[in-house]
Amino acid sequence: MTPKFYLSLEGEDTIYLARSPLAANDPKFKYRKIVEDIIKKWNDEDIKDYCFKEEDFSAADRAVLDATIDQLNLSPDEARTIETEVLNPLLLRRDNIKKYRNAFRKIIAAANHTPLKNKDKESLKKLQIIYGLRDEDIQVIEEEVQNEVYPITPTIPPITSPSAKIAQILHSIKTLKPQNFKLNLPVRIGIPLIAVVSLIAINRHNIITPLIPSDCPKQTGDFISEGEEVLNYSQSFNKKKGTEYFAQCDYQKALLRFKDAWQQDRLDPETLIYLNNALLEANKMPYYTIAVAVSIPPKNQNSSNDDDDDSRAKEMLRGVAQLQTKINLGILNDNDPFLKYFPDQDFINKKAINGKGLKVVITNDENKELLAKKTASSLSQRPEILGVVGHYPSEMTLATVDIYNQNNLVLISPGSTTSELTKYPRKNFLRTVFSVEQQSPAIAKFLQEKSIKKVVGFYSEGSPFSESFFNSFKTIFTRPPFSGTVVKLDEFDLGNNFKAEEAIQELRKRQGKITEEIGLVLFPKAIGDAQGDAIRLIKLNNSQNWVIGSWGLRSSRTLEQINNLQPFQKFVITVPWDSLTSPNQDFLKDAKILWTTTSVNAITALSYDATLALTKALEKANTPTRINILEQLKSLDFLVTKGATGTIQFDENGDRKKLDENGDPQNPSVEFVHIVECRTPSSDFAFVPIKYPTAKDAGLSCLNSPKKPSP
């Protein structure tokens, strides 16, 4: 430190000594200390990720920092300034890496496939010294840039198997155009025979070489996997080894690795799906193939919503994997030794699909529309895939539905509620969740029961889900029998630079001019930080007004942001299903045994039902094709009576039917839940249906110790 005379000790010139009481109580000092502590715990890989990618803190670190910002009552600008000051050395290194990368890219592009000249190498060495980069940094940068400028095209290994060569020759002969192959029948038969005999003679000593599947090694890096790569965050050793064996089509070894990985982590549905797929392949069992499209965000992406996205993906996969397991165990003999790896396998009413199993291909769109379109196109070009379960967000569904439609591939969504798919139905689209038009009347009725005739709406402008939900609710609520009023504040756009403080100030001004109570309805989009904005708004409202939130707010992230239940006393969430009021308790029993948890989300139940509907259509079609499966699902007599969420039936638009043929309700479109205190190892609070005032009334098992202190 440089000695200096400080003539003023007020305002911005105040000196905070590290051990002084003044520093200890300063919010900025506290926040700086927490940021510094987080960075000190980073390992070399964390630092590398930060410097080489346009990423900030991990999702976990970001959650801690956001909670601290709220607790210390810091503004976002103040917090960001402190973070930038602490991160300055890494930011400088990131900037230098970017500069070196740009310089190297220009130099290698100018070289035009020729080796770099010595003077270019010397210049790069000088740049390395100027920017203070290590040799290992340079190696990573140059490899990345070289792959960008001259991407490596995967080569197809030559066919060496005699039987594969024969197959190739026969295929070539078969695909020749008639106009180029005008030979008489004996000659056309003789040519392939001569080819076969010649190959046998030449390769007689290799005739017992096994036929290697034409799709091995399997392609990786395309965001599509049936077992050849890990798409989610779970990277256990056995799981990764299993994917390596699966990619090489060594299914028996893959099966054993996936079995070990699943026994180590019974909550990982991706592992169980791969285990099922390997079981089918290793035992050469017949099967049908479907796909499930989920949104797993990139690891360490700078988004506070990553945890929600990853959680939704896992919940979707659990629903699919639970039914897949039920089907595939149904084609094993009762004395099959593999059954011992499934504890209590008798819990499942095992039943195959017409004697066949079910393979599931997983695809990940990362909540990116361009990637979703690319993977949808790839799935559509695989003729063995007979249907798709997904997508969850309406944004991804609308981006892909027409691609599937052009290829007659049915898409059953467990989460997309947008009204656009009702107004403009696609022949191939169905959903097990109710549309916004079906949910809006229940919300309007709830408000009516609270004597609320005036409502302020908050939503995410431009979002197919959010905006359509708001417009649907507005239409229903402003007409008889409700005849209410819906207003929109100047500050309403959740997730798009939303200012919760200004919204509450404007609300209070309006409320002061009238005597009637105002309700708040929140429809945040599922992508980005819209749901975080909604939570901040609820806290600022502090239970002065009734607040109704849409399904996405029922997440662990919401519970993590609660330190005090007071602001949430008049807050309810609409959900399509809740485990405590489920019409199918057998589904819950199966889930508890399979996943070793009683916590089952509506996404899991609705994904299970989407898969169940698809497999029922496979069962009804004697020789399933994409077209006749869709015909089965859309037929008037298609009915599934034991879904996790109730009876499954679709109308002409593909929407879930709420009423039976007599006009009586067969499924509730909305369940209202609220937040109650219930301490568990993961949280201090829980969601329960509003008919249960407390966790005890709902039958939840909570710890008796007092609530843990907030961080």
Side-chain angles (χ1 to χ4, degrees):
M1 296 177 64
T2 304
K4 180 179 179 181
F5 286 101
Y6 286 84
L7 302 180
S8 172
L9 294 178
E10 295 179 0
E12 295 299 319
D13 294 324
T14 300
I15 304 172
Y16 290 113
L17 299 179
R19 295 177 182 268
S20 74
L22 188 60
N25 294 323
D26 180 61
K28 294 180 182 179
F29 179 87
K30 290 181 179 179
Y31 188 72
R32 181 184 299 273
K33 182 70 168 60
I34 290 174
V35 176
E36 289 172 345
D37 288 343
I38 287 175
I39 295 175
K40 286 177 184 177
K41 294 177 182 178
W42 284 0
N43 56 34
D44 290 343
E45 196 63 29
D46 294 327
I47 294 174
K48 177 184 172 184
D49 286 342
Y50 184 93
C51 293
F52 276 80
K53 301 174 183 177
E54 293 297 330
E55 297 173 347
D56 202 333
F57 295 92
S58 69
D61 290 341
R62 187 74 262 168
V64 171
L65 292 175
D66 287 344
T68 306
I69 292 170
D70 289 342
Q71 185 186 32
L72 297 176
N73 199 27
L74 289 175
S75 71
D77 290 340
E78 289 174 328
R80 190 58 193 167
T81 299
I82 293 170
E83 292 171 15
T84 302
E85 290 173 357
V86 176
L87 286 167
N88 261 335
L90 294 179
L91 288 170
L92 177 61
R93 186 176 171 211
R94 176 191 281 180
D95 189 53
N96 288 341
I97 287 173
K98 188 183 295 184
K99 290 176 181 177
Y100 185 93
R101 181 185 281 112
N102 291 336
F104 183 74
R105 184 183 287 108
K106 291 178 182 178
I107 292 172
I108 194 173
N112 195 23
H113 289 271
T114 60
L116 292 181
K117 298 177 181 178
N118 288 334
K119 66 174 184 177
D120 291 332
K121 293 179 180 179
E122 291 173 2
S123 297
L124 288 171
K125 193 64 180 178
K126 290 178 181 178
L127 281 178
Q128 177 184 350
I129 295 171
I130 292 171
Y131 292 142
L133 300 178
R134 303 169 301 176
D135 290 340
E136 51 263 42
D137 296 332
I138 299 303
Q139 182 180 356
V140 173
I141 295 170
E142 294 185 352
E143 286 178 357
E144 287 179 353
V145 173
Q146 286 172 337
N147 287 335
E148 290 173 13
V149 178
Y150 307 121
I152 300 172
T153 303
T155 57
I156 301 174
I159 300 175
T160 56
S161 164
S163 50
K165 287 181 180 178
I166 295 171
Q168 187 182 56
I169 292 174
L170 292 177
H171 177 73
S172 300
I173 295 170
K174 178 181 177 181
T175 54
L176 282 175
K177 295 182 178 180
Q179 62 267 31
N180 297 328
F181 197 61
K182 297 179 179 178
L183 300 176
N184 58 38
L185 182 61
V187 174
R188 276 186 281 175
I189 295 175
I191 288 177
L193 284 176
I194 292 171
V196 171
V197 171
S198 300
L199 278 170
I200 292 175
I202 294 170
N203 297 288
R204 184 169 51 191
H205 62 288
N206 290 326
I207 197 66
I208 60 172
T209 302
L211 178 62
I212 300 174
S214 60
D215 63 342
C216 290
K218 296 183 181 295
Q219 182 178 351
T220 58
D222 58 354
F223 297 90
I224 298 174
S225 175
E226 59 191 63
E228 62 270 23
E229 66 178 315
V230 179
L231 296 179
N232 71 7
Y233 296 165
S234 176
Q235 298 275 350
S236 72
F237 174 78
N238 281 315
K239 185 176 181 179
K240 290 179 70 176
K241 290 299 293 184
T243 59
E244 292 171 9
Y245 287 128
F246 198 100
Q248 298 299 325
C249 300
D250 193 341
Y251 300 117
Q252 193 63 51
K253 290 181 180 177
L255 175 63
L256 296 176
R257 289 293 188 175
F258 288 141
K259 179 263 297 179
D260 290 341
W262 186 65
Q263 288 184 318
Q264 292 166 0
D265 184 2
R266 290 277 294 277
L267 275 172
D268 184 2
E270 184 185 44
T271 298
L272 184 57
I273 288 174
Y274 292 167
L275 170 62
N276 271 281
N277 293 344
L279 174 68
L280 294 170
E281 297 289 2
N283 290 281
K284 296 182 172 57
M285 297 173 175
Y287 56 78
Y288 299 113
T289 304
I290 67 169
V292 54
V294 295
S295 301
I296 307 170
K299 190 175 182 181
N300 292 332
Q301 186 186 51
N302 183 20
S303 168
S304 57
N305 210 36
D306 285 358
D307 289 342
D308 278 352
D309 294 334
D310 183 46
S311 177
R312 292 189 194 104
K314 288 178 180 176
E315 286 156 357
M316 273 188 68
L317 294 177
R318 284 192 191 114
V320 177
Q322 183 167 329
L323 186 60
Q324 182 193 25
T325 302
K326 186 172 184 174
I327 291 168
N328 290 340
L329 292 185
I331 57 178
L332 295 177
N333 296 325
D334 290 340
N335 58 353
D336 193 299
F338 192 77
L339 285 176
K340 68 182 180 181
Y341 299 119
F342 286 85
D344 303 312
Q345 72 271 5
D346 290 337
F347 78 93
I348 291 181
N349 181 22
K350 303 184 289 287
K351 185 181 179 183
I353 310 171
N354 297 329
K356 293 185 178 181
L358 184 68
K359 175 186 271 192
V360 175
V361 177
I362 305 174
T363 177
N364 174 26
D365 60 38
E366 290 191 345
N367 260 340
K368 299 174 182 176
E369 291 188 16
L370 289 177
L371 181 56
K373 291 178 180 180
K374 181 179 179 181
T375 55
S377 180
S378 298
L379 291 178
S380 298
Q381 299 306 313
R382 293 176 59 166
E384 77 275 15
I385 295 177
L386 298 173
V388 180
V389 174
H391 299 238
Y392 171 79
S394 295
E395 288 82 355
M396 300 305 112
T397 303
L398 287 173
T400 58
V401 63
D402 290 327
I403 297 173
Y404 296 123
N405 196 18
Q406 292 164 6
N407 294 276
N408 296 311
L409 190 56
V410 64
L411 179 68
I412 307 182
S413 174
S416 179
T417 61
T418 179
S419 60
E420 182 170 337
L421 292 167
T422 300
K423 295 176 182 176
Y424 308 102
R426 273 67 161 185
K427 67 178 182 180
N428 69 315
F429 176 76
L430 307 100
R431 50 184 157 201
T432 51
V433 65
F434 288 103
S435 67
V436 293
E437 283 86 355
Q438 294 168 310
Q439 296 183 42
S440 294
I443 300 174
K445 184 178 179 182
F446 179 91
L447 290 165
Q448 185 184 54
E449 292 171 351
K450 299 295 180 184
S451 300
I452 297 174
K453 300 283 289 182
K454 195 178 189 70
V455 166
V456 174
F458 298 86
Y459 62 94
S460 305
E461 194 167 34
S463 164
F465 156 73
S466 179
E467 192 165 352
S468 69
F469 207 154
F470 172 76
N471 289 331
S472 169
F473 166 76
K474 182 177 179 180
T475 300
I476 295 292
F477 189 66
T478 55
R479 294 177 179 175
F482 307 108
S483 302
T485 303
V486 178
V487 297
K488 185 172 71 175
L489 302 182
D490 293 335
E491 193 66 47
F492 70 91
D493 198 355
L494 299 173
N496 296 314
N497 299 314
F498 177 75
K499 299 178 180 62
E501 295 81 1
E502 293 182 12
I504 288 294
Q505 289 173 7
E506 186 180 355
L507 173 64
R508 297 291 174 248
K509 287 180 182 178
R510 294 204 180 197
Q511 199 166 18
K513 299 176 182 179
I514 60 174
T515 57
E516 58 186 334
E517 184 175 357
I518 298 178
L520 310 182
V521 289
L522 312 181
F523 305 120
K525 62 184 177 182
I527 300 172
D529 197 40
Q531 294 179 10
D533 287 343
I535 298 301
R536 285 188 284 275
L537 183 68
I538 296 166
K539 287 182 176 180
L540 289 171
N541 176 63
N542 200 27
S543 294
Q544 290 192 44
N545 304 74
W546 271 101
V547 182
I548 301 179
S550 56
W551 178 21
L553 290 170
R554 191 198 189 284
S555 72
S556 58
R557 183 181 174 211
T558 297
L559 298 181
E560 288 167 0
Q561 296 183 67
I562 302 176
N563 295 322
N564 178 6
L565 197 56
Q566 169 56 33
F568 297 86
Q569 295 289 351
K570 298 175 74 173
F571 171 55
V572 297
I573 301 173
T574 62
V575 297
W577 175 89
D578 188 87
S579 60
L580 293 174
T581 54
S582 173
N584 187 345
Q585 292 298 311
D586 289 338
F587 162 76
L588 294 172
K589 292 176 184 176
D590 292 356
K592 180 179 180 180
I593 295 173
L594 190 62
W595 306 111
T596 66
T597 179
T598 57
S599 177
V600 182
N601 192 287
I603 302 175
T604 298
L606 290 164
S607 300
Y608 178 94
D609 282 355
T611 313
L612 181 61
L614 194 51
T615 56
K616 287 296 181 183
L618 287 169
E619 188 176 36
K620 285 179 172 290
N622 292 328
T623 306
T625 65
R626 291 182 176 182
I627 293 176
N628 65 28
I629 288 172
L630 187 55
E631 290 173 349
Q632 289 291 341
L633 289 164
K634 287 291 187 76
S635 66
L636 295 176
D637 61 348
F638 182 81
L639 182 72
V640 180
T641 57
K642 294 183 178 180
T645 61
T647 301
I648 306 170
Q649 205 171 13
F650 305 103
D651 64 19
E652 64 277 5
N653 293 329
D655 287 338
R656 177 90 174 260
K657 281 188 178 180
K658 181 180 177 182
L659 307 177
D660 62 19
E661 58 185 9
N662 299 320
D664 297 323
Q666 63 181 7
N667 296 299
S669 57
V670 164
E671 177 81 62
F672 290 93
V673 299
H674 66 146
I675 300 172
V676 297
E677 287 195 25
C678 179
R679 188 181 175 198
T680 65
S682 59
S683 178
D684 290 331
F685 305 94
F687 297 103
V688 300
I690 57 174
K691 70 178 185 178
Y692 303 118
T694 67
K696 183 178 180 180
D697 295 323
L700 299 185
S701 298
C702 308
L703 300 177
N704 295 324
S705 55
K707 186 173 82 70
K708 62 185 179 183
S710 58

